[in-house]
Amino acid sequence: MTPPTPPAPTPGLLSQACVLLACYWLAWQGSALFEIRPDVSALYLSAGLTTAAGMIGGWRALPFACIAICLVRLPDLPVVSLATLDLAGALRQVAVYGAAGLYLRRRWQRAAFRFSLKDALHFTVVALVASCMSAGLSLHIPPFDSLPQAELGGVFLSFWGGDLAGMLLLIPVIVMLQARLGPRRASFVRRWKEAFAERPGEASATALLVAAACFTLIVVTLPELGQAGPRLAILSVLPVLVASLLRGVLFGFVVALLTCVIELAPIALFELPVESVLDLQLRLIITTTTALLAGASHDDKLFEWRHANFDLLTGLANRHRFQDQIEHELMRARRHRHSMALLYIDLDGFKAVNDAYGHDAGDALLRQVAERLQTCVRETDTIARLGGDEFTIILPDLAHEGVVERIGHDVLRELMRPYALGGVTAHVSASIGLALHPRDGESATDLIRNADRAMYEAKRLGRNRMVRHASIALPVFTPRSDAPA
């Protein structure tokens, strides 16, 4: 009986190994491009790549990483043998940076794509410790273990600065690419669009990028004024700080990448002394760290504000924001003697959908309801989710009551349409109560109470309709099922 043959590697595993090998080859070529002396580079992207391999692939990816590190160095060896193969260097890199990636993996696997200030500090400290450990171990590995004592400090700083800069530059890029292509794509795309969106009263994202590039070019190309030139180059961190504080970590890091590319160009084109390269490494480290920490601080404050004022499921205003907004609109209505309306909406049949298809389907339906409501209102109107399946719409500055009827009709029509919920189709409708200011109440409490009473009257009369509080026994209208959309 012949023994069973071992299973062949799956195509997916082979393709991943080939991609990892290609990435290490590119990282190795990048290190060679910024080499300042034999075997010492200003930038080691492979340190960040090994950390990312541990973060994304886990411990199973690390043997492939070790093999890839050895393979990409073979073309540069005069004679390929075990003696010339830098196996100790590969093991050092995988042991230190692979372990750092495994340590960061738990935070990386969280569902939501949000880089908090705590995450940024944690990542920066891990990168700092790992680069120090790796640089220290490098001094005990050939050919650096035989260097004169006077040269050890410079080699240590070169390894430390190159590895730390490589980690801070490459790992966020890989994390963003993985988020863009992976299961967290929707969250990443939403945050990316928010970071680059046009904002009233602020400079556009394009203008900020152009200004940052021009400022960095000016700073980097300043003529040498004694010893002031390298010191003035640190000013290139200013546009990164401004961009991060204005638009968050994603946009700030894009500006940091642009700044770093402009700063790295001279070392790729011209031969710089070791002292200048060390200054460059520190500027790269400060630039990327500034983008991560300042941007994450901005995002944390924005998240806290949104958490306090907006519903996390639908993105609509929450009850707290609704109360503030209705008080504000009532003050405006009294000051300008305008009328306003409040629609109180409750979904018909939502509990049955929740019971039949589960809470995930119910949440998906609520998100679709929020999207449809936004297509029915004006830019000046405010939609809020008070909780469960209850929504409100504040309609300020009403020129005539026909606006309310049109919006109410649009809401009923849109919410009646079928909902696709992951392979199943659900149907709900809405009961709407309408209260007008000042006729149905002068205060927010009166308007909310009267709109709520009108909504319950709409349910009592058969649902799928809007009822005015002023004529609580008489529905304003009921949409016909055969009415054209």
Side-chain angles (χ1 to χ4, degrees):
M1 182 176 178
T2 58
T5 57
T10 62
L13 187 62
L14 289 175
S15 63
Q16 292 172 12
C18 292
V19 170
L20 189 63
L21 180 61
C23 291
Y24 272 105
W25 182 82
L26 291 173
W28 181 252
Q29 296 305 311
S31 298
L33 186 64
F34 303 111
E35 194 172 71
I36 56 175
R37 55 170 290 174
D39 300 316
V40 179
S41 176
L43 185 65
Y44 289 107
L45 295 175
S46 59
L49 186 57
T50 305
T51 307
M55 287 173 62
I56 299 173
W59 65 268
R60 293 180 178 85
L62 298 183
F64 293 99
C66 186
I67 295 171
I69 293 171
C70 294
L71 290 178
V72 297
R73 299 178 181 180
L74 291 181
D76 296 332
L77 297 178
V79 179
V80 179
S81 66
L82 288 177
T84 59
L85 194 64
D86 187 18
L87 185 58
L91 289 174
R92 180 261 311 168
Q93 187 172 146
V94 170
V96 175
Y97 295 115
L102 294 176
Y103 180 72
L104 294 169
R105 181 173 169 81
R106 183 174 61 179
R107 288 177 180 265
W108 153 253
Q109 288 180 322
R110 290 186 310 190
F113 183 82
R114 194 177 77 84
F115 199 59
S116 67
L117 181 58
K118 185 177 180 180
D119 292 331
L121 286 170
H122 189 80
F123 166 65
T124 304
V125 170
V126 170
L128 180 64
V129 172
S131 59
C132 287
M133 291 177 60
S134 178
L137 289 174
S138 298
L139 301 181
H140 300 282
I141 297 175
F144 306 105
D145 57 344
S146 58
L147 288 176
Q149 190 75 21
E151 297 184 18
L152 292 180
V155 173
F156 175 86
L157 289 176
S158 296
F159 274 123
W160 169 78
D163 279 6
L164 183 54
M167 290 183 72
L168 295 175
L169 276 170
L170 191 59
I171 292 178
V173 173
I174 295 176
V175 167
M176 287 191 289
L177 288 175
Q178 181 70 11
R180 176 65 177 82
L181 302 174
R184 294 178 288 184
R185 177 179 180 275
S187 177
F188 173 79
V189 170
R190 184 179 68 253
R191 294 182 184 278
W192 181 271
K193 290 181 178 178
E194 289 177 355
F196 285 82
E198 297 292 330
R199 301 178 182 178
E202 292 187 14
S204 67
T206 303
L208 288 173
L209 287 170
V210 172
C214 293
F215 185 86
T216 306
L217 281 170
I218 293 172
V219 170
V220 171
T221 57
L222 281 175
E224 294 286 341
L225 301 175
Q227 298 297 318
R231 297 173 185 172
L232 287 177
I234 195 63
L235 293 175
S236 61
V237 76
L238 290 179
V240 177
L241 178 63
V242 172
S244 302
L245 292 176
L246 284 178
R247 289 179 173 260
V249 68
L250 285 179
F251 186 78
F253 191 77
V254 170
V255 175
L257 282 180
L258 178 63
T259 301
C260 291
V261 168
I262 295 173
E263 294 205 64
L264 285 168
I267 196 173
L269 299 174
F270 311 105
E271 185 174 345
L272 298 181
V274 174
E275 292 78 9
S276 298
V277 173
L278 294 176
D279 290 337
L280 172 62
Q281 289 175 335
L282 290 176
R283 292 200 303 272
L284 297 179
I285 293 168
I286 293 172
T287 298
T288 50
T289 304
T290 298
L292 295 175
L293 296 180
S297 177
H298 167 278
D299 290 352
D300 278 358
K301 291 180 180 178
L302 181 61
F303 178 79
E304 291 172 3
W305 178 78
R306 286 182 174 172
H307 187 76
N309 292 279
F310 291 89
D311 177 52
L312 297 182
L313 176 64
T314 62
L316 301 176
N318 61 13
R319 184 181 292 273
H320 176 265
R321 177 76 173 176
F322 163 75
Q323 292 287 352
D324 288 345
Q325 191 66 26
I326 195 171
E327 293 287 356
H328 172 72
E329 296 297 350
L330 281 171
M331 282 196 307
R332 288 183 64 248
R334 296 187 194 106
R335 183 182 305 119
H336 300 291
R337 299 184 180 278
H338 290 163
S339 61
M340 62 171 284
L342 176 65
L343 300 182
Y344 203 109
I345 305 168
D346 189 87
L347 300 182
D348 307 321
F350 175 73
K351 185 177 183 302
V353 173
N354 235 2
D355 294 342
Y357 304 120
H359 291 288
D360 289 341
D363 289 346
L365 188 146
L366 291 174
R367 284 191 289 266
Q368 292 185 41
V369 167
E371 293 171 1
R372 296 184 188 186
L373 289 176
Q374 288 171 326
T375 66
C376 300
V377 299
R378 306 165 300 172
E379 290 186 1
T380 56
D381 301 333
T382 301
I383 311 171
R385 180 185 176 221
L386 302 187
D389 59 347
E390 292 185 343
F391 299 83
T392 59
I393 303 178
I394 303 172
L395 305 172
D397 303 326
L398 294 178
H400 53 83
E401 294 186 11
V403 175
V404 182
E405 294 188 5
R406 178 186 60 78
I407 292 176
H409 182 275
D410 290 345
V411 168
L412 289 171
R413 183 189 63 202
E414 286 296 315
L415 298 189
M416 282 177 61
R417 292 193 294 111
Y419 295 83
L421 306 174
V424 299
T425 301
H427 294 82
V428 297
S429 60
S431 296
I432 305 176
L434 166 62
L436 291 168
H437 168 81
R439 184 169 58 194
D440 297 325
E442 285 285 349
S443 67
T445 303
D446 291 340
L447 278 179
I448 296 169
R449 181 179 65 249
N450 292 334
D452 184 48
R453 288 180 58 195
M455 180 271 293
Y456 278 106
E457 181 67 10
K459 284 188 174 294
R460 188 186 69 81
L461 293 171
R463 305 183 178 187
N464 190 29
R465 65 192 65 218
M466 183 170 74
V467 170
R468 298 177 186 267
H469 175 262
S471 54
I472 210 163
L474 179 64
V476 174
F477 57 80
T478 303
R480 303 200 328 253
S481 59
D482 59 344

